[in-house]
Amino acid sequence: MLLYDFGSKHELVAAVLAEARRRGAARLAEHLPPEAASPEERLRGIWAWISAPERAPYVRLVFEVHADALAHPENYPDQAGAIMDWFDTLDATFYDIATGPEDTVTPTLVMAVIRGLMLDLTVTGDRRRTDRALDRFSELLRQRPEQRQPIQRY
């Protein structure tokens, strides 16, 4: 019956993960700091929610699917959705640092930083270092280019 509805096991997995992303984005939106919060506070709120230990199994599964999709793209026809499904939530969250209503670069950058730090945390378990890296990125969000200091080695 599942094969009739979804066509293949991979399409079933893709549909389940798409729904999980949709629900995750909705839950994330519910847990964000208020709009009056600074972009750094909102970024830290996203990080706290997505990197919570209870989400680790889901995060690991997402990375496993990404890896499988890289090896077997024919099995994941809508892999771009796995990346772009979060854009509406992130665009609405970081409206005040976006360059305009059509800005796709800001949500791309925010998601790339979060995803990279999540992969790092998942592989290394180094919470302290990944939290500090997120803090450093948060600082960069509030600085004008002329205020930026060279990155210090930790």
Side-chain angles (χ1 to χ4, degrees):
M1 188 65 167
L2 290 176
L3 287 179
Y4 176 78
D5 289 334
F6 292 97
S8 72
K9 177 180 89 171
H10 295 290
E11 289 179 79
L12 169 64
V13 170
V16 168
L17 290 174
E19 179 62 16
R21 286 191 309 272
R22 186 193 66 72
R23 290 180 185 188
R27 279 194 303 270
L28 171 62
E30 293 170 6
H31 290 90
L32 286 174
E35 283 188 25
S38 69
E40 306 96 278
E41 291 168 320
R42 288 177 291 201
L43 180 64
R44 286 185 179 109
I46 290 171
W47 176 250
W49 182 82
I50 205 163
S51 69
E54 62 269 17
R55 275 179 259 309
Y58 172 74
V59 169
R60 186 175 306 282
L61 174 64
V62 167
F63 285 128
E64 288 174 7
V65 171
H66 281 307
D68 192 47
L70 289 171
H72 306 286
E74 68 279 3
N75 294 331
Y76 300 91
D78 186 32
Q79 188 58 15
I83 304 299
M84 299 174 74
D85 282 352
W86 293 90
F87 278 20
D88 288 341
T89 300
L90 293 175
D91 191 41
T93 302
F94 295 102
Y95 64 91
D96 51 348
I97 61 170
T99 60
E102 302 301 317
D103 180 7
T104 59
V105 174
T106 300
T108 299
L109 178 60
V110 170
M111 182 47 89
V113 168
I114 291 170
R115 187 179 296 111
L117 290 174
M118 283 306 306
L119 179 60
D120 189 322
L121 178 61
T122 301
V123 171
T124 68
D126 192 339
R127 165 69 65 180
R128 183 174 181 273
R129 185 176 48 78
T130 54
D131 284 352
R132 289 180 68 199
L134 193 277
D135 287 343
R136 177 68 175 127
F137 182 66
S138 294
E139 291 170 10
L140 295 174
L141 287 179
R142 77 173 121 90
Q143 293 179 353
R144 287 190 179 80
E146 65 272 7
Q147 295 174 316
R148 294 195 178 128
Q149 302 291 322
I151 296 176
Q152 297 177 14
R153 299 271 177 199
Y154 292 105

